[in-house]
Amino acid sequence: MRRGMVIDLEKCIGCRSCAVACKQHNAQPAGSWWNRVVTPGSDRHLTASAPENLYFLPIHCQHCQNAPCVKVCPVGATYQTDDGTVLIDFERCIGCRYCMAACPYGVRQFNWESSKDGIKRYEYQNGYTYGYPEPFRLDNRLVYSPVRIKGIVEKCHFCAHYQARGLDPACVRACPGKARHVGDLDDPDSRVSQMIRQMNGFTLLPEKGTRPNVYYLPPKRKEV
Amino acid sequence: MGVSKKVSLTVFSLIMAAGALMWLIQLWRGLILTDMNNAYSWGLYVSALAFFVGNAAGGLVLSSMIYLFGVTALKPFARIGALCAFANVAAAMLIVLSDLGRPFRVLNLLLHPQIMSPLVWDVIVLNLYAGLSLIYLYLLMLPDLAARTGFLNKIALPVPDPAGFSDRWAKRLAPFSLVAAVSIHVVTAWIFATQGARGWWHTAVMAPDFVAAALASGTAVVMLVAVLCYGTADKFQNAFRIMAIFIATSFFIHLFLMYNDFVIHAWYGSDHAKEALAITLQEYGLAHAFEVLAPLAGVVLLLNARVRQTMSGIMAGCLLIIAGIFVHRILLMPAAFNQMPLTLAPLGSQHTLWSVPIASGRYVPPADTFVSHHSYFPTLVEIMIFAGVLSFVCALILVAVHKLPVVKEG
Ligand code: SF4
Ligand code: SF4
Ligand code: SF4
């Protein structure tokens, strides 16, 4: 079993619901975005780089098989589970940020300050809280916690907490365009494997040799 | 201790205290007090790690020149070499501590070391080298320790012929210290050079260049301390000449390796390489000019026999070289972090490469949420912590020279 994701760029309407769902479900601190949706070529969020040239690219941890972040981590805080998911042990990380320098996709987020200070900076109204309310442990390692620890690195954990309850990741469930699919990349007959085969699935930065478990399907047409 | 030494020590102590205070504040508030962000995640602290590791090279140069290659003229400075090596490796480890988000978890390095990580290798070799430098210093001081009274006499090994013993063991240890010393530079360079994500670092020239730059600045550090301790008497002129030639050679090899890399990448002209070079040569053009011209001026000074007869001349030369290599270490970061690794050609566009911005991780109302460029400049907190560690090096050397038989009298 190799857990992977396919994101169909033809179906993505650029609504950024996945980024919002990810941020909210995972109680991300101020300024942190595990998941971002960019408009390639544009200066600002939703503007076209050139007339008739507009498509959207959601980016989060690619759950690389040859993951540089796993290899650089001096204490094994970043690690790979049996199904290929790359997770971070919140209690192990020493905050050296070596993994941030190593990750080619810019998806790792550091907690520069305490959650409390961040929320104050965001000026959220008193008592507003969001996110999956319980800490989540996998093999006794803390891979999610609603209250964040200052000074550690975090990123997409493939919604390990929901997977444990048999649910798809928040971004997959929240996508109104149905652009996201998860499944077993080792199984050639799985839906995701078939999509990759039939619709020219590609990965980001193949030249870096990271072998991501997140695939993209190219958009056939652009928005104008 | 003379008045000037007392004043310097007081100043160093004050700066150290200020640095420690800043570190406590940083511990309390978090690394938000630095100018780093998610896209630019290493700054002054990690540059300073490279700088201090490089400065520690002096100990190796002296011990191997004397005991492996028989350059006995340098013998009076051997103890200073070992002392400077220890002080700088200790500083390297201290400054990394201030870069950690959770420094108290540093014990995890012992509990769960992950052997694939170059950072683990670096911690191992740095500790090894620190230990070896201390042993070396002790061995070299042994003949004089026995002659002293009190505590120093008590820690002296009771051997029949301390001078001979010290010489014999220094010779035996020299090859090991050479290996340990080369490996601290190579492994520190590997921390960067292994990172395929960062074109600026991912080059085979990084490790040899790191060694070359380290030999220049490390020897300059020893020469600086030596001239402060011994002055410029005639009997040391030969030693200063040898060190000056060594510094010059190392620096020119460093220049060659650096520009060799530039030429190869500039000639092929890939967009990534051009971007990295533009950051270093244009955006940071002044800094680049300094990293080349300052040590060059230093080398020109030191190679002049008349300059070597003056205290101020040698000091100026050494300081120029050390400052130049420091700026070289600072320039490790901008071209690595301001060139986004995730750069793509948007589908359907011609001739454009586009850098995918990264969430900055810090909420600042007027600033962008997603950034692909950051003009990093260390904050006061970062500068004070660095200054504190630098003062620690100076204070440690000053106190050791005063209390221990580091400088041979007469
Ligand atoms: S995308 Fe980055 S953080 Fe995720 S596995 Fe790959 S290297 Fe690691
Ligand atoms: S910041 Fe944490 S997860 Fe990243 S390399 Fe360092 S210890 Fe590992
Ligand atoms: S899988 Fe979960 S954590 Fe990862 S991007 Fe989607 S919502 Fe965020």
Side-chain angles (χ1 to χ4, degrees):
Chain A
M1 166 77 189
R2 180 157 56 88
R3 200 159 182 242
M5 190 183 280
V6 167
I7 304 176
D8 185 350
L9 301 182
E10 174 64 24
K11 285 282 176 244
C12 176
I13 62 166
C15 64
R16 287 160 169 84
S17 301
C18 52
V20 175
C22 180
K23 176 133 181 131
Q24 303 279 329
H25 279 254
N26 288 304
Q28 284 157 34
S32 275
W33 292 89
W34 292 0
N35 185 356
R36 64 201 198 276
V37 183
V38 298
T39 313
S42 95
D43 281 343
R44 294 293 297 169
H45 305 294
L46 269 169
T47 48
S49 55
E52 303 193 9
N53 196 358
L54 185 60
Y55 71 105
F56 310 99
L57 184 65
I59 301 166
H60 42 75
C61 174
Q62 307 286 302
H63 296 282
C64 309
Q65 294 173 71
N66 178 25
C69 58
V70 172
K71 288 199 289 188
V72 297
C73 183
V75 294
T78 294
Y79 69 106
Q80 234 150 358
T81 62
D82 294 337
D83 66 2
T85 306
V86 174
L87 297 176
I88 301 170
D89 183 339
F90 287 6
E91 288 167 330
R92 175 87 60 93
C93 172
I94 60 173
C96 66
R97 303 187 306 293
Y98 194 2
C99 53
M100 300 180 81
C103 170
Y105 303 96
V107 298
R108 296 190 149 249
Q109 311 279 298
F110 185 68
N111 288 329
W112 298 95
E113 59 187 335
S114 71
S115 297
K116 221 170 82 211
D117 289 354
I119 284 174
K120 233 192 272 153
R121 200 184 289 271
Y122 247 39
E123 294 174 345
Y124 281 139
Q125 275 185 333
N126 267 350
Y128 176 72
T129 52
Y130 55 93
Y132 191 83
E134 304 282 316
F136 178 72
R137 285 177 183 275
L138 198 70
D139 304 325
N140 206 24
R141 303 181 74 169
L142 185 70
V143 296
Y144 170 82
S145 141
V147 179
R148 285 315 209 284
I149 305 166
K150 175 181 71 187
I152 63 160
V153 168
E154 52 180 65
K155 65 159 190 74
C156 162
H157 56 159
F158 228 149
C159 282
H161 46 8
Y162 288 131
Q163 195 202 358
R165 307 168 145 222
L167 291 170
D168 276 348
C171 53
V172 175
R173 286 183 286 148
C175 178
K178 195 79 184 113
R180 290 168 174 268
H181 307 265
V182 275
D184 182 2
L185 293 175
D186 273 345
D187 173 6
D189 297 325
S190 68
R191 174 102 186 273
V192 281
S193 293
Q194 284 179 8
M195 290 174 101
I196 293 167
R197 245 190 345 266
Q198 289 160 7
M199 296 197 269
N200 290 334
F202 67 94
T203 58
L204 297 177
L205 297 182
E207 69 275 19
K208 298 283 184 202
T210 48
R211 287 189 284 128
N213 281 334
V214 174
Y215 280 79
Y216 294 87
L217 305 180
K220 290 189 216 52
R221 283 167 300 151
K222 307 287 189 61
E223 312 281 331
V224 288
Chain B
M1 205 180 264
V3 178
S4 66
K5 275 190 187 164
K6 269 194 190 134
V7 171
S8 331
L9 196 59
T10 315
V11 172
F12 292 146
S13 309
L14 285 177
I15 302 177
M16 270 157 68
L21 181 70
M22 289 296 173
W23 186 65
L24 285 178
I25 296 175
Q26 177 186 290
L27 212 57
W28 166 51
R29 289 286 314 282
L31 286 163
I32 188 98
L33 298 182
T34 69
D35 192 39
M36 295 180 270
N37 65 33
N38 284 336
Y40 202 115
S41 49
W42 276 348
L44 176 62
Y45 298 148
V46 175
S47 284
L49 159 76
F51 173 64
F52 287 124
V53 169
N55 286 349
L60 128 97
V61 174
L62 285 244
S63 62
S64 44
M65 285 232 253
I66 300 165
Y67 296 102
L68 289 181
F69 306 118
V71 188
T72 44
L74 293 177
K75 231 171 173 176
F77 301 160
R79 299 171 183 190
I80 292 178
L83 174 62
C84 291
F86 175 76
N88 278 290
V89 182
M93 292 194 272
L94 264 185
I95 197 84
V96 176
L97 222 50
S98 61
D99 189 59
L100 297 184
R102 297 211 73 86
F104 294 120
R105 288 188 186 175
V106 75
L107 223 62
N108 282 351
L109 280 170
L110 294 178
L111 299 175
H112 312 281
Q114 211 255 113
I115 208 63
M116 274 300 277
S117 171
L119 202 60
V120 169
W121 309 341
D122 208 36
V123 170
I124 294 173
V125 290
L126 284 178
N127 278 294
L128 218 76
Y129 188 66
L132 259 178
S133 307
L134 272 189
I135 295 176
Y136 228 101
L137 182 62
Y138 173 77
L139 266 178
L140 294 172
M141 291 189 312
L142 196 58
D144 289 352
L145 284 179
R148 293 250 179 143
T149 51
F151 176 69
L152 290 182
N153 182 278
K154 276 202 201 96
I155 58 167
L157 264 186
V159 285
D161 167 25
F165 180 87
S166 149
D167 226 44
R168 233 178 7 260
W169 277 95
K171 206 171 267 165
R172 282 184 197 158
L173 270 185
F176 295 100
S177 95
L178 180 69
V179 172
V182 172
S183 54
I184 60 169
H185 308 300
V186 170
V187 172
T188 305
W190 280 348
I191 290 182
F192 305 101
T194 47
Q195 298 316 305
R198 313 272 165 190
W200 182 241
W201 296 341
H202 193 51
T203 156
V205 101
M206 176 75 91
D209 186 37
F210 204 102
V211 175
L215 292 182
S217 71
T219 312
V221 168
V222 179
M223 192 163 169
L224 181 65
V225 178
V227 79
L228 285 171
C229 292
Y230 286 99
T232 54
D234 273 353
K235 59 178 169 181
F236 300 122
Q237 282 303 321
N238 191 28
F240 286 138
R241 187 185 61 89
I242 295 170
M243 289 169 98
I245 293 173
F246 191 82
I247 290 171
T249 316
S250 311
F251 176 67
F252 286 124
I253 293 175
H254 156 58
L255 270 195
F256 162 65
L257 291 174
M258 178 167 75
Y259 282 119
N260 169 52
D261 209 41
F262 284 10
V263 168
I264 288 171
H265 287 106
W267 184 91
Y268 191 75
S270 76
D271 289 327
H272 292 285
K274 279 197 297 199
E275 197 187 341
L277 283 175
I279 292 170
T280 303
L281 301 179
Q282 281 169 12
E283 195 184 346
Y284 288 84
L286 276 179
H288 178 69
F290 185 84
E291 72 160 316
V292 174
L293 296 179
L296 204 61
V299 163
V300 169
L301 281 179
L302 291 184
L303 284 181
N304 184 316
R306 267 209 304 281
V307 170
R308 284 201 305 270
Q309 259 142 20
T310 63
M311 182 97 147
S312 53
I314 292 188
M315 282 176 64
C318 292
L319 285 173
L320 280 169
I321 287 156
I322 298 167
I325 300 296
F326 174 70
V327 171
H328 177 65
R329 301 306 189 205
I330 292 285
L331 288 177
L332 264 175
M333 303 305 169
F337 287 113
N338 273 333
Q339 194 215 319
M340 295 289 115
L342 182 51
T343 299
L344 39 91
L347 295 168
S349 313
Q350 296 186 19
H351 315 302
T352 45
L353 260 190
W354 181 72
S355 304
V356 178
I358 293 175
S360 79
R362 328 179 43 142
Y363 176 67
V364 188
D368 279 346
T369 304
F370 299 95
V371 295
S372 53
H373 185 277
H374 177 53
S375 299
Y376 168 83
F377 196 85
T379 59
L380 191 67
V381 171
E382 289 173 273
I383 293 173
M384 286 309 297
I385 290 180
F386 170 70
V389 175
L390 194 63
S391 301
F392 160 79
V393 174
C394 302
L396 188 68
I397 293 176
L398 192 66
V399 171
V401 166
H402 180 66
K403 296 265 181 210
L404 300 174
V406 172
V407 177
K408 284 192 189 156
E409 263 110 269

